[in-house]
């Protein structure tokens, strides 16, 4: 039995002279939440488009739910749901009407559609607003509806392209709860995000994409361990972090690091030592890459 929901090998894609994906290798296990973390323009959407058969790759191979993206597209379409960065709902309809329409278009009977719509409205906490036109909804409510629409007919693999971009903290956390809930129902979730905290909170495994390559994959803890055991932080009198330096955390290393700074430390600076964050991971990995590129 294949335990992988997604298998990618040497995937490449260019637009004209611009290489966007430069040989991506990646495996996503069934029943997990996998985050693809990268800055603007890193190629996250391009990769999602290839995996969901919206765009062809130039080279390499990828399988989704065991189906080849190049030759078995109908198998993939039957196995996935996709929610994009921009909510694709009919604003003139209510959320109940939107969900009903998708249910009927997907081949559910009227009774099945009614039951599924009620279940999704409940799950997404949209029941109270179910009969209001979507154009009166907040961004967070629209995003929830967009996600609900992609789940009318549940499929084993859900692709979410930056699901919480532009949402406030409360809506973002509500969506995170829903995404985790989907995993408990056995759905594999592959999501892209620019938010380190989102990857940290949600994902079983995280792949960092930069410069067209996956520069690291692992659990949040494994990635943080790559930065070092601890981070020394220098904080100025205005409580601004002026420097973050990875360290093993041993007394010897901490002392050596601080001695090495010499008189670059302004009077009044405070020193704290903390565990690495995903921000540290990201900065460390992408800086290492830039340094390699400039050698
Ligand atoms: N159809 C296209 N034609 C030409 N260039 C494209 C096309 N689609 C994407 N690109 C370019 O490929 C690069 C990667 O874009 P992509 O949307 O995949 O990145 P992303 O990581 O999803 O970024 P964001 O976080 O901003 O959505 C960008 O420089 C973009 O301009």
């Amino acid at each position: 039995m294949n335990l992988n929901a997604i298998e990618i090998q040497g995937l490449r894609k260019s637009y004209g002279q611009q290489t966007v994906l430069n040989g991506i290798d990646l495996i996503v296990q069934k029943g997990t939440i996998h985050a693809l973390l990268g800055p603007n323009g890193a190629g996250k959407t391009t990769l999602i488009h290839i995996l969901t058969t919206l765009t062809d790759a130039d080279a390499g191979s990828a399988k989704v739910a065991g189906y080849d993206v190049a030759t078995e597209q109908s198998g993939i379409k039957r196995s996935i749901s996709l929610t994009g960065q921009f909510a694709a709902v009919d604003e003139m309809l209510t959320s109940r009407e939107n969900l009903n329409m998708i249910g009927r278009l997907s081949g559910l009977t009227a009774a099945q559609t009614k039951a599924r719509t009620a279940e999704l409205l409940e799950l997404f906490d949209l029941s109270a607003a179910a009969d209001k036109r979507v154009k009166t909804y907040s961004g967070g409510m629209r995003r929830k509806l967009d996600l609900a629409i992609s789940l009318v007919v549940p499929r084993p693999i859900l692709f979410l392209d930056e699901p919480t971009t532009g949402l406030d903290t409360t809506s973002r956390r509500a969506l995170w709860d829903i995404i985790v809930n989907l995993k408990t129902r056995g759905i594999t979730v592959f999501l892209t995000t620019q938010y380190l905290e989102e990857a940290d909170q949600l994902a079983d495994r995280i792949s960092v994409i930069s410069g067209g390559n996956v520069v690291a994959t692992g659990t949040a803890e494994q990635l943080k361990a790559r930065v070092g055991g601890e981070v020394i932080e220098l904080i100025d009198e205005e409580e601004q972090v002026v420097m973050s330096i990875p360290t093993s955390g041993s007394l010897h290393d901490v002392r050596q690091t601080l001695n090495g700074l010499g008189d670059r430390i302004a009077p009044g600076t405070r020193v704290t030592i903390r565990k690495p964050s995903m921000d540290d991971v990201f900065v460390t990995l992408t800086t290492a890459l830039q340094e390699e590129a400039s050698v």
Side-chain angles (χ1 to χ4, degrees):
M1 193 178 64
N2 189 350
L3 294 176
N4 297 329
I6 302 172
E7 295 174 0
I8 306 172
Q9 274 188 331
L11 209 65
R12 306 177 79 89
K13 178 76 183 177
S14 298
Y15 289 109
Q17 297 295 309
Q18 186 190 6
T19 302
V20 178
L21 303 177
N22 193 16
I24 300 282
D25 295 317
L26 190 66
I27 285 184
V28 177
Q29 288 174 356
K30 275 186 187 159
T32 62
I33 300 178
H34 196 109
L36 184 67
L37 178 66
N40 272 136
K44 303 181 297 296
T45 301
T46 302
L47 182 59
I48 289 234
H49 282 180
I50 292 172
L51 296 176
T52 55
T53 76
L54 295 174
T55 306
D56 292 332
D58 296 338
S61 65
K63 281 189 171 179
V64 175
Y67 298 106
D68 192 300
V69 290
T71 56
E72 297 173 301
Q73 301 193 338
S74 57
I76 293 180
K77 284 180 187 145
R78 285 196 306 273
S79 311
I80 63 164
S81 311
L82 166 65
T83 305
Q85 287 178 35
F86 303 102
V89 294
D90 188 331
E91 296 205 329
M92 297 310 285
L93 301 181
T94 68
S95 52
R96 193 188 305 279
E97 288 165 345
N98 267 288
L99 289 163
N100 280 341
M101 183 177 69
I102 299 295
R104 293 315 301 269
L105 287 174
S106 308
L108 300 184
T109 64
Q112 285 169 330
T113 299
K114 193 172 169 203
R116 187 75 187 132
T117 293
E119 190 190 346
L120 287 166
L121 289 170
E122 183 70 29
L123 175 69
F124 285 84
D125 199 19
L126 287 170
S127 300
D131 299 309
K132 294 193 176 124
R133 284 187 189 207
V134 173
K135 67 176 186 180
T136 64
Y137 283 17
S138 68
M141 290 163 78
R142 278 173 203 235
R143 200 58 67 82
K144 282 194 208 171
L145 178 60
D146 197 32
L147 192 47
I149 285 174
S150 69
L151 296 170
V152 168
V153 178
R155 303 264 166 75
I157 304 175
L158 173 64
F159 288 90
L160 299 173
D161 195 5
E162 301 195 16
T164 64
T165 294
L167 297 189
D168 62 30
T169 309
T170 312
S171 306
R172 179 169 298 159
R173 288 185 186 278
L175 262 186
W176 287 354
D177 286 345
I178 289 167
I179 294 168
V180 170
N181 184 294
L182 297 175
K183 180 184 134 175
T184 64
R185 296 170 177 226
I187 293 178
T188 305
V189 181
F190 185 76
L191 65 93
T192 68
T193 183
Q194 298 181 35
Y195 301 116
L196 300 148
E197 192 198 353
E198 182 156 287
D200 199 359
Q201 292 281 322
L202 271 186
D204 298 298
R205 288 173 75 76
I206 300 165
S207 294
V208 181
I209 183 171
S210 180
N213 291 295
V214 172
V215 293
T217 292
T219 62
E221 291 314 311
Q222 285 167 341
L223 294 184
K224 286 177 195 173
R226 288 183 61 156
V227 179
E230 312 276 342
V231 174
I232 299 172
E233 223 162 50
L234 303 186
I235 298 164
D236 69 13
E237 284 174 302
E238 269 125 42
E239 291 302 308
Q240 298 295 317
V241 176
V242 285
M243 212 180 273
S244 301
I245 313 158
T247 165
S248 71
S250 74
L251 182 59
H252 173 266
D253 284 356
V254 172
R255 188 181 280 154
Q256 205 170 35
T257 303
L258 293 177
N259 286 344
L261 292 172
D263 50 13
R264 280 194 286 155
I265 305 181
T269 303
R270 273 193 312 115
V271 177
T272 64
I273 299 184
R274 60 166 175 76
K275 290 281 175 208
S277 65
M278 283 303 295
D279 281 293
D280 301 313
V281 173
F282 200 66
V283 170
T284 304
L285 289 171
T286 45
T287 312
L289 209 77
Q290 279 159 11
E291 281 168 4
E292 274 168 35
S294 62
V295 169

